[in-house]
Amino acid sequence: MRLIVARCEVDYSGRLITHSPMAVRLLMIKTDGTFMVFSDGGGGPNVKPQNWMTAPTTIAVEGDPPSRIEVHKRGGEERLEIAIDEVLFDETHDMGEAAALEKDGVERDLQELLAAAPHRCGEGFRLVRREWPTDIGPVDLMCREPGEGWVAVEIKRVATIEAVEQLSRYLERIRLDPAMSECRGVLAAQQIKPQASVLAAARGIACVEVDLAVLRGEREPDLTLFG
Amino acid sequence: MRLIVARCEVDYSGRLITHSPMAVRLLMIKTDGTFMVFSDGGGGPNVKPQNWMTAPTTIAVEGDPPSRIEVHKRGGEERLEIAIDEVLFDETHDMGEAAALEKDGVERDLQELLAAAPHRCGEGFRLVRREWPTDIGPVDLMCREPGEGWVAVEIKRVATIEAVEQLSRYLERIRLDPAMSECRGVLAAQQIKPQASVLAAARGIACVEVDLAVLRGEREPDLTLFG
DNA sequence: ATATACATCTCGAGA
DNA sequence: TCTCGAGGTGTATAT
């Protein structure tokens, strides 16, 4: 990874056009060809680079010290140009391979926990299968409720209006099967946005907020922090 | 901005839990309190940091050279811990204020151009207003066509199936008004995905691909690169 | 290569 | 502060 601190102008043209005037910035060139431009201070975005290009790229560094850097995609449909006025720092560090990042608590984990405890999605629910296939993609959980009715469950960490649309599309397809024409929909999430609740209600879709700690048995369902 | 290259372990707990084993990484501490952890090489994500915390944060750097860094949000609901085995580089650079980034060609620009030339969305269209309000959000353009019919126009840079869903929701609401029960829908975009075209056709929504250069008068509508 | 959905999405505007 | 929608979204997975 090469790190350059330089006073420079930046021009990007591709999916849109941007220009940034002369200022001191950090230029980061990763070994895989990813290129990023960072500014400091509160003016710009916090965590996002001001400009960037994802690998694979072709990077041409002109001059030593660098006076100009051109980055472009193979097809040439995107171009990032750095005009350098002064290089304040330029060093390359070998960091070896990227070490694996283990994650716990993403939507996948929520789905596993709810598959093991489908009754958290609704009274008496029994799991038929996870990732129930439809012709436009898999439904997270397919369950049966008391009385043998079918229920499709869509799981989200945070459920927005888009989650309701997604489940609606699935239900539309599922109900084409006469045996499942009465299939209900349930939206299960750690957090459900107000507009999602409203749209879900209008579509006859039930909403269930679930708690990760409860699902893991770390906390009783009826206890609260204020109990 | 402080840049540290160090062999370290990283643990995050907050919206989820992550752990990364000992490896050499770049730690970036921005003046505003934003903290980022980058790996090099193709293993991890290209442009995203492996871990991060957006400002405002409290950052505690223990030891000199640093042996441990703790970053947390004010409420304490998120925590990022860096256990450092060896510091390979540690330097702070003053980069002044972040210089403004000017963007051109985003959806906003497209909307302005189409508002000034509504006939690009359809023969004889006249603009009634931009950001026409509905109870679930504003429609980009509301127009009238020859014969006084109403047309709601949704504008996207790239129109996907979601854009069709969004316009459908708006039309559903707009048509509740008896005076607008016949309101048509038009989806205008620089690029329309094939599946979006198909769904739009099924919903009776017209699609128009628009060209930024043509809208700006930089190129004639009937000329092409292959003409 | 394209489509589909997730993301600690981030970020900015508006209420 | 919260909510909502756009993003050069990026990223992974399945087709």
Side-chain angles (χ1 to χ4, degrees):
Chain A
M1 180 189 288
R2 182 171 180 180
L3 300 173
I4 302 171
V5 177
R7 193 149 43 87
C8 57
E9 280 185 319
V10 184
D11 284 279
Y12 166 80
S13 77
R15 302 185 227 183
L16 53 62
I17 292 169
T18 73
H19 171 76
S20 307
M22 193 66 70
V24 178
R25 300 184 176 86
L26 169 68
L27 312 176
M28 189 189 304
I29 307 176
K30 297 178 81 169
T31 307
D32 64 1
T34 300
F35 190 95
M36 286 177 269
V37 180
F38 286 93
S39 285
D40 198 12
N46 286 330
V47 58
K48 284 183 63 174
Q50 227 179 37
N51 288 97
W52 70 93
M53 198 171 291
T54 53
T57 60
T58 305
I59 302 178
V61 180
E62 302 171 20
D64 185 15
S67 60
R68 181 177 183 76
I69 301 177
E70 288 196 20
V71 189
H72 57 89
K73 282 279 188 187
R74 267 307 163 88
E77 70 279 8
E78 289 185 82
R79 171 175 287 268
L80 186 55
E81 297 176 34
I82 321 290
I84 298 175
D85 194 57
E86 183 186 9
V87 174
L88 303 168
F89 173 81
D90 183 356
E91 223 171 88
T92 300
H93 290 272
D94 183 2
M95 305 206 198
E97 278 304 299
L101 176 75
E102 304 154 27
K103 294 186 181 188
D104 181 25
V106 293
E107 187 194 303
R108 184 98 204 148
D109 301 300
L110 201 54
Q111 188 189 118
E112 283 172 15
L113 289 163
L114 286 173
H119 58 281
R120 299 288 185 199
C121 301
E123 190 75 24
F125 282 18
R126 286 162 292 128
L127 179 69
V128 177
R129 76 167 285 182
R130 285 170 62 183
E131 306 284 352
W132 176 280
T134 78
D135 57 355
I136 54 167
V139 175
D140 288 328
L141 302 182
M142 183 60 77
C143 299
R144 305 205 76 158
E145 53 185 338
E148 298 311 301
W150 294 90
V151 194
V153 180
E154 176 64 32
I155 297 167
K156 286 278 181 283
R157 218 173 55 79
V158 179
T160 66
I161 205 166
E162 293 308 323
V164 181
E165 298 283 19
Q166 189 183 346
L167 180 53
S168 298
R169 286 199 298 273
Y170 288 142
L171 286 170
E172 195 180 345
R173 299 305 178 119
I174 292 166
R175 288 170 178 159
L176 293 176
D177 178 351
M180 304 181 79
S181 61
E182 301 296 318
C183 184
R184 288 207 304 128
V186 169
L187 183 59
Q190 285 181 268
Q191 189 194 344
I192 296 175
K193 296 287 184 186
Q195 289 209 352
S197 292
V198 172
L199 186 60
R203 299 263 175 92
I205 289 171
C207 289
V208 183
E209 283 202 342
V210 295
D211 185 308
L212 212 58
V214 170
L215 289 173
R216 289 192 170 129
E218 296 164 0
R219 183 144 51 84
E220 290 301 310
D222 47 345
L223 292 179
T224 76
L225 292 173
F226 307 98
Chain B
M1 181 189 287
R2 183 171 179 180
L3 300 173
I4 302 172
V5 177
R7 193 149 42 85
C8 57
E9 280 185 318
V10 184
D11 284 280
Y12 165 80
S13 77
R15 300 184 230 182
L16 52 62
I17 292 169
T18 74
H19 171 77
S20 308
M22 194 64 71
V24 178
R25 301 184 175 86
L26 169 68
L27 313 177
M28 188 189 304
I29 307 176
K30 297 178 80 168
T31 307
D32 64 2
T34 300
F35 190 95
M36 285 177 270
V37 180
F38 286 93
S39 286
D40 196 13
N46 286 333
V47 58
K48 283 183 65 176
Q50 228 179 37
N51 289 97
W52 71 92
M53 198 173 290
T54 53
T57 60
T58 304
I59 302 178
V61 180
E62 302 171 19
D64 185 15
S67 59
R68 181 177 182 77
I69 300 177
E70 287 196 21
V71 189
H72 56 89
K73 282 279 190 186
R74 265 308 163 89
E77 71 278 9
E78 289 185 82
R79 172 176 286 270
L80 187 53
E81 295 176 35
I82 321 290
I84 298 176
D85 195 56
E86 184 186 8
V87 174
L88 302 167
F89 173 81
D90 183 356
E91 222 171 89
T92 300
H93 290 272
D94 182 3
M95 318 217 307
E97 277 304 299
L101 175 77
E102 302 154 30
K103 291 188 179 186
D104 181 24
V106 293
E107 187 193 308
R108 183 99 205 145
D109 300 303
L110 203 53
Q111 188 189 119
E112 282 172 17
L113 290 163
L114 286 173
H119 58 279
R120 298 290 185 199
C121 301
E123 189 76 25
F125 281 19
R126 287 161 292 128
L127 178 68
V128 176
R129 76 167 285 183
R130 286 170 64 181
E131 306 287 349
W132 177 281
T134 78
D135 57 354
I136 55 166
V139 175
D140 288 329
L141 303 182
M142 182 61 75
C143 299
R144 306 205 76 160
E145 54 185 337
E148 298 310 303
W150 294 91
V151 194
V153 180
E154 177 65 31
I155 299 167
K156 286 277 180 285
R157 213 172 52 78
V158 179
T160 65
I161 201 168
E162 291 308 322
V164 182
E165 298 282 18
Q166 189 182 348
L167 180 52
S168 299
R169 287 197 299 273
Y170 289 141
L171 288 169
E172 192 181 342
R173 299 302 176 126
I174 292 166
R175 288 170 178 159
L176 293 176
D177 178 351
M180 305 181 80
S181 62
E182 300 296 318
C183 183
R184 288 207 303 128
V186 169
L187 183 59
Q190 283 183 268
Q191 188 194 344
I192 296 175
K193 295 286 184 186
Q195 292 212 349
S197 292
V198 172
L199 184 61
R203 299 264 175 91
I205 290 171
C207 288
V208 183
E209 283 202 342
V210 294
D211 185 308
L212 214 56
V214 170
L215 289 174
R216 290 195 171 122
E218 296 164 1
R219 182 143 52 84
E220 288 303 310
D222 46 347
L223 293 179
T224 75
L225 293 172
F226 306 97

